[in-house]
């Protein structure tokens, strides 16, 4: 694995730009134009259905044979090198562990993994065709609680597959990356609740003083960085197994334990033992990739920092884009609940709870 790379010394405009990419309008592409692009660039004919997406224009293409594909027209605001990194990572995963349930890259008629097109609005976009993973998102399924260990195992397998992957754009600045938590400070003024703002400020102070210096010596590699229930597919609405991993748009070179902390942050339960499911997830992960002691010790604070990132960026973007505030703030409740649970338990209590992972089934 790579050691953590030195961070670019760019200012808030770079960090905010990364966070704000989600607020750019998706490319204005009609179903008819998408069908034309699929046909002319990839030789694929079929019924085209537009999918919900935050920043790209995504279409499911269903061919006469029943086979499906995903046509992605990437937002013009995204750095093309970053898009290329995501594509190259999917190809790398397919070569290293073809059994991992991730989208497969389809080649264009020109023999390319992606194509550039200029649309009528005047902007140039990257167009890709991927295999379509059918299934139910875990966030919309019931019975998913028994899958926590499997979630950890799947993340561990993905991390193992990406261990040898490198790309010139892998170290790009992404505000959602936990190791960029110090860049949240100028955004904190958007948090309306003074008490919450003070708590988040204290977390960033802690990050800069104690956590950030320790991250540079940890194992680092490109990670998915958004292993949440909206990006995991299951076999049915009453889930019994995981069937897919989607949305590789937040991939970045980061300490491996940060990628794990992101996944853990979404699994804190509203129960008397809120970390049991997190312990199961960690147990599954460590079966594939054991953690070093220093990595495990940092997990509670890194999970807190993921919640701080979600709460800060959410408040900042919601104020800038009030018409889209309901969507932007959709995970605020989960993040606040998780932060409250960790603060109530305390770091030592959290480590004790997570150490019980060997007994979690």
């Amino acid at each position: 694995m790579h050691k953590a790379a030195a961070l670019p010394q760019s200012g808030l405009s770079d960090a905010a730009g990364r966070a704000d990419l989600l607020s750019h309008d998706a490319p204005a592409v009609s179903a008819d134009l998408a069908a034309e692009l699929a046909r002319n660039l990839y030789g694929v004919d079929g019924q085209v259905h537009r999918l919900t997406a935050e920043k790209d224009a995504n279409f499911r293409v269903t061919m006469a044979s029943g086979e499906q594909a995903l046509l992605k027209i990437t937002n013009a605001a995204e750095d093309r090198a970053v898009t290329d990194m995501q594509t190259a990572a999917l190809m790398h995963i397919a070569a290293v562990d073809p059994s991992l349930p991730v989208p497969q890259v389809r080649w264009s008629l020109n023999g390319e993994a992606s194509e550039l097109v200029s649309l009528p609005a005047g902007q140039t976009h990257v167009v890709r065709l991927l295999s379509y993973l059918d299934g139910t998102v875990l966030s919309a399924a019931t019975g998913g609680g028994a899958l926590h260990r499997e979630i950890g195992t799947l993340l561990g397998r993905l991390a193992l597959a990406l261990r040898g992957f490198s790309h010139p754009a892998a170290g790009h600045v992404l505000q959602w990356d936990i190791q960029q938590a110090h860049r949240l400070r100028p955004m904190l003024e958007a948090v309306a609740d003074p008490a919450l703002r003070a708590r988040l400020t204290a977390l960033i102070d802690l990050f800069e003083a104690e956590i950030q210096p320790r991250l540079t010596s940890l194992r680092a590699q490109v990670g998915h960085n958004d292993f949440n229930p909206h990006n995991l597919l299951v076999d049915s609405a009453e889930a019994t197994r995981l069937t897919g991993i989607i949305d590789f748009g937040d991939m970045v070179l980061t300490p491996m334990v940060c990628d794990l902390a992101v996944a853990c942050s979404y699994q804190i339960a509203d129960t008397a033992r809120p970390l049991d499911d997190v312990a199961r997830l960690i147990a599954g992960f460590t079966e594939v990739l054991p953690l070093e002691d220093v990595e495990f010790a940092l997990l509670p604070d890194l999970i807190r920092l993921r919640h701080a990132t979600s709460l800060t960026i959410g408040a900042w973007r919601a104020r800038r884009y009030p018409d889209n505030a309901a969507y932007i703030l959709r995970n605020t409740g989960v993040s606040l609940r998780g932060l409250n649970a960790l603060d109530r338990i305390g770091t030592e209590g959290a480590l004790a709870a997570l150490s019980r992972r060997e007994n979690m089934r």
Side-chain angles (χ1 to χ4, degrees):
M1 289 187 182
H2 303 285
K3 290 297 182 182
L7 298 177
Q9 298 302 308
S10 53
L12 172 63
S13 59
D14 289 340
R18 294 296 183 196
D20 193 38
L21 175 60
L22 297 180
S23 293
H24 282 78
D25 290 337
V29 179
S30 66
D32 288 342
L33 179 53
E36 181 181 341
L37 291 172
R39 182 170 53 254
N40 293 344
L41 297 177
Y42 292 93
V44 171
D45 277 302
Q47 294 183 338
V48 173
H49 174 73
R50 189 181 187 100
L51 303 173
T52 301
E54 293 177 307
K55 60 187 177 67
D56 301 330
N58 294 336
F59 296 86
R60 183 179 67 231
V61 183
T62 304
M63 290 156 264
S65 64
E67 181 184 1
Q68 298 184 103
L70 175 66
L71 184 73
K72 292 183 67 69
I73 298 96
T74 302
N75 198 302
E78 181 164 278
D79 185 340
R80 291 180 195 168
V82 173
T83 306
D84 181 73
M85 183 263 293
Q86 297 162 9
T87 305
L90 288 174
M91 295 167 63
H92 177 87
I93 294 165
V96 172
D97 187 352
S99 65
L100 274 170
V102 303
Q104 305 293 307
V105 177
R106 299 277 297 266
W107 298 101
S108 73
L109 295 175
N110 293 326
E112 301 292 341
S114 64
E115 295 283 350
L116 289 177
V117 297
S118 294
L119 298 183
Q123 293 180 315
T124 301
H125 300 264
V126 178
V127 179
R128 292 172 291 170
L129 190 72
L130 307 175
S131 61
Y132 182 82
L133 301 186
D134 208 356
T136 302
V137 291
L138 179 58
S139 60
T142 59
L147 298 178
H148 292 100
R149 196 179 189 98
E150 187 179 348
I151 292 171
T153 301
L154 191 61
L155 179 60
R157 288 181 58 202
L158 181 60
L160 190 62
L162 286 168
R163 173 176 278 182
F165 175 73
S166 63
H167 190 278
H172 70 107
V173 176
L174 180 74
Q175 185 62 78
W176 288 101
D177 182 5
I178 292 174
Q179 69 178 337
Q180 304 293 347
H182 59 293
R183 301 178 189 271
L184 293 170
R185 195 178 294 278
M187 301 180 185
L188 285 171
E189 48 88 23
V191 178
D193 181 351
L196 178 58
R197 185 167 63 248
R199 291 170 66 190
L200 299 179
T201 300
L203 263 175
I204 295 173
D205 291 343
L206 175 68
F207 174 78
E208 291 184 324
E210 299 182 22
I211 299 172
Q212 188 177 31
R214 299 167 71 184
L215 292 181
T216 58
S217 64
L218 301 184
R219 297 176 293 176
Q221 63 172 72
V222 173
H224 184 278
N225 198 46
D226 198 14
F227 218 72
N228 76 70
H230 296 282
N231 292 334
L232 296 173
L233 301 178
V234 292
D235 53 346
S236 69
E238 295 183 1
T240 62
R241 61 185 177 87
L242 297 171
T243 61
I245 309 167
I246 59 175
D247 195 349
F248 287 73
D250 279 358
M251 296 188 80
V252 69
L253 174 65
T254 193
M256 185 182 69
V257 70
C258 289
D259 194 25
L260 175 59
V262 170
C264 291
S265 70
Y266 291 94
Q267 305 301 334
I268 298 177
D270 188 16
T271 65
R273 295 167 59 101
L275 297 183
D276 280 2
D277 291 340
V278 178
R280 293 185 180 93
L281 190 156
I282 295 171
F285 184 90
T286 54
E287 283 180 350
V288 181
L289 282 173
L291 291 174
E292 297 174 355
D293 289 345
V294 65
E295 293 172 325
F296 180 74
L298 284 172
L299 265 174
D301 284 331
L302 293 175
I303 296 171
R304 282 191 184 94
L305 286 161
R306 174 64 178 197
H307 291 313
T309 298
S310 297
L311 292 167
T312 303
I313 292 178
W316 181 75
R317 291 179 60 224
R319 192 176 70 173
R320 288 175 55 120
Y321 300 95
D323 291 344
N324 200 31
Y327 183 80
I328 291 169
L329 298 174
R330 68 195 184 281
N331 287 324
T332 295
V334 172
S335 295
L336 191 56
R337 184 184 72 206
L339 184 61
N340 288 341
L342 285 169
D343 285 351
R344 183 176 66 255
I345 297 169
T347 299
E348 293 306 316
L351 289 173
L354 297 180
S355 294
R356 295 194 293 265
R357 64 190 183 277
E358 289 82 1
N359 300 319
M360 292 293 177
R361 294 290 180 238

